[in-house]
Amino acid sequence: MTLQHADDGDSRADRHEDEVDRLVAAWRTERPELDVAPLQVLSRVSRLARHLDRARRASFAEHGLEIWEFDVLTALRRAGEPYELSPGALLRATLVTSGTMTNRIDRLAAAGLVRRRPDPEDRRGVLVSLTDAGRERVDGAFDDLLRRERDLLAALGEHEQQALADLLRTLLVPFDADETGASGAHG
């Protein structure tokens, strides 16, 4: 089975059936009374998520980072100069417990990727800052991740990528609103 496809008015080569097409066809044969149409979208999203997870893990490993380390370091990097946040802001950005965050900060500090300093506006508080080594490491991992993500999207043109992003946003907004309402704002 081949599928016709067009991108921005230019004809593209025929697309061949994928594993999801075969899966859907099998379910339609075995359970014709069911509407299996959601599988056409969500099974592909799930399969793509597995490929993205592999790309993320490879990128982070290449730069000596675990996923959780990347999450904390990117939260600090996105904060802008001086690349620091309170532990509470890091909790909201990464959606982990206080004890987990303390452990993560300790481990990142021991690795020389972050440092703690007293919060000048709150004598009881501390700020967690990205070190130069942490910034270099997270920037390298992020650059590599973006290259791998571009490779995952290479079969789509710019307009197709934007259309897909818009459609996925429409699906995700209600879930993000539920999470924000339940746990506070996060980054």
Side-chain angles (χ1 to χ4, degrees):
M1 170 202 232
T2 59
L3 305 171
Q4 292 293 331
H5 188 270
D7 175 38
D8 305 327
D10 296 329
S11 179
R12 284 211 178 172
D14 289 348
R15 303 282 167 112
H16 298 291
E17 81 177 3
D18 65 2
E19 185 59 32
V20 174
D21 291 322
R22 291 184 286 277
L23 179 139
V24 168
W27 278 118
R28 284 184 173 147
T29 298
E30 293 300 316
R31 298 288 312 270
E33 77 279 10
L34 294 179
D35 175 11
V36 294
L39 293 175
Q40 295 207 37
V41 173
L42 299 176
S43 290
R44 286 185 175 97
V45 168
S46 177
R47 293 170 83 77
L48 186 58
R50 284 194 296 266
H51 289 288
L52 176 58
D53 184 57
R54 287 183 194 131
R56 289 172 58 92
R57 288 178 189 280
S59 178
F60 303 157
E62 216 170 275
H63 295 274
L65 294 173
E66 297 287 336
I67 291 174
W68 67 265
E69 291 171 314
F70 182 81
D71 288 345
V72 174
L73 296 175
T74 55
L76 290 167
R77 184 65 168 100
R78 287 190 312 266
E81 285 196 57
Y83 310 113
E84 65 184 11
L85 293 169
S86 69
L90 283 169
L91 285 173
R92 289 186 295 279
T94 59
L95 300 175
V96 298
T97 66
S98 166
T100 298
M101 183 53 66
T102 298
N103 180 277
R104 289 178 176 185
I105 293 168
D106 289 345
R107 290 173 65 183
L108 289 167
L113 301 176
V114 302
R115 69 173 142 318
R116 288 184 175 97
R117 72 176 186 88
D119 185 342
E121 296 179 19
D122 179 359
R123 288 190 305 190
R124 296 172 297 150
V126 297
L127 294 172
V128 179
S129 305
L130 196 57
T131 64
D132 289 341
R135 182 175 169 194
E136 287 176 23
R137 182 94 54 96
V138 75
D139 282 354
F142 189 56
D143 292 348
D144 187 53
L145 175 61
L146 289 174
R147 179 188 55 77
R148 291 170 192 260
E149 289 182 351
R150 278 190 290 279
D151 289 347
L152 285 172
L153 294 170
L156 300 178
E158 185 178 331
H159 294 294
E160 289 174 313
Q161 288 182 34
Q162 186 59 56
L164 180 58
D166 292 343
L167 291 168
L168 291 171
R169 181 183 308 106
T170 299
L171 289 176
L172 288 172
V173 163
F175 295 103
D176 288 348
D178 288 346
E179 287 178 13
T180 300
S183 62
H186 55 86

